[in-house]
Amino acid sequence: KVAIVASDGSVEWEYPTQTPQDCWRLGNGHVLFCYQNGAKEISPAKEVVWEYRAPANAQCHSCQPLPDGRVLVAECGLSRIVEAGRDGKIAREIKVASEAKNMGHQFRGTRRTADGHYWVCLMDEKKIVELSPSGVLLRTIPVDGFPHAAVKLPNGHLLVTLGTAGKVIELDRDLKIVWQLGENEASGNPLRLPAGCQRLPNGNTLICN
């Protein structure tokens, strides 16, 4: 299920779905998330207001609302990123080269940045790639672990969670580690599989562990 959890840990809202991976609270109060077979936008009243259905041989582990109203969905198995329109149909497709043997492990966190570039975590290959708006490979960033999220920060740095490696790192523009949190550095909260992450306005880092 997808849930909205209050600061005291209580569940304020929840919606059942199959293996949700990536979710967003939209400006209109709706919740956008991807699940194994696509992506949905749900109203607070739990009405489906938009849906993209992926092909049967795809697994969807990442999504992102885009400024033009489209929704980015990353599809493992088909090794592609799609941008789905408000009609639920594919408006754009970007192929992603992957050497992963396990279909479901091809990639996790996938984001389009303001410059139109795509950042993709190739999980089993232990690397992050930057693709041009047309899908051309611009850069490969090897990491010491299985990347689940790579968030480009306003200063150009990259915030990365490394899954079962049990750590979170921040890379500067020269790919030097300028901040990190190791497995046992947060007292009483060991990192077992950090997946989602977000840099908050006050400078703190939110980690989904």
Side-chain angles (χ1 to χ4, degrees), residues 80-101:
R80 68 179 186 175
I81 301 165
V82 300
E83 293 183 10
R86 295 309 299 179
D87 58 0
K89 297 179 180 178
I90 296 174
R92 190 175 193 190
E93 176 184 348
I94 299 292
K95 284 293 191 181
V96 180
S98 171
E99 299 174 359
K101 301 291 191 295

Side-chain angles (χ1 to χ4, degrees), residues 115 117-120 128-132 136-140:
D115 55 10
H117 293 192
Y118 299 93
W119 291 78
V120 186
I128 300 159
V129 295
E130 180 185 5
L131 308 177
S132 75
V136 174
L137 178 63
L138 300 176
R139 183 159 53 157
T140 298

Side-chain angles (χ1 to χ4, degrees), residues 10-141:
S10 62
V11 175
E12 297 181 338
W13 181 94
E14 62 182 53
Y15 184 86
T17 192
Q18 180 189 24
T19 58
Q21 289 277 333
D22 203 359
C23 58
W24 302 76
R25 184 80 175 271
L26 305 180
N28 60 5
H30 293 184
V31 174
L32 172 72
F33 61 87
C34 65
Y35 60 104
Q36 181 164 320
N37 301 120
K40 289 182 180 181
E41 181 182 332
I42 306 295
S43 73
K46 302 184 180 180
E47 299 167 327
V48 178
V49 298
W50 176 87
E51 183 170 11
Y52 166 72
R53 293 182 181 273
N57 55 338
Q59 290 185 17
C60 303
H61 297 293
S62 191
C63 68
Q64 178 189 8
L66 300 177
D68 58 8
R70 294 177 181 175
V71 174
L72 178 154
V73 181
E75 295 181 345
C76 291
L78 298 179
S79 296
R80 68 179 186 175
I81 301 165
V82 300
E83 293 183 10
R86 295 309 299 179
D87 58 0
K89 297 179 180 178
I90 296 174
R92 190 175 193 190
E93 176 184 348
I94 299 292
K95 284 293 191 181
V96 180
S98 171
E99 299 174 359
K101 301 291 191 295
N102 185 324
M103 178 186 84
H105 290 187
Q106 283 185 325
F107 35 88
R108 283 300 185 269
T110 302
R111 295 289 183 261
R112 196 184 85 180
T113 48
D115 55 10
H117 293 192
Y118 299 93
W119 291 78
V120 186
C121 291
L122 292 170
M123 187 173 69
D124 270 13
E125 297 171 62
K126 296 185 176 182
K127 65 184 181 184
I128 300 159
V129 295
E130 180 185 5
L131 308 177
S132 75
S134 61
V136 174
L137 178 63
L138 300 176
R139 183 159 53 157
T140 298
I141 303 170

Side-chain angles (χ1 to χ4, degrees), residues 176-192:
K176 298 290 195 318
I177 296 176
V178 295
W179 177 86
Q180 63 181 322
L181 184 68
E183 181 179 6
N184 296 302
E185 291 182 32
S187 179
N189 292 281
L191 296 181
R192 297 306 187 206

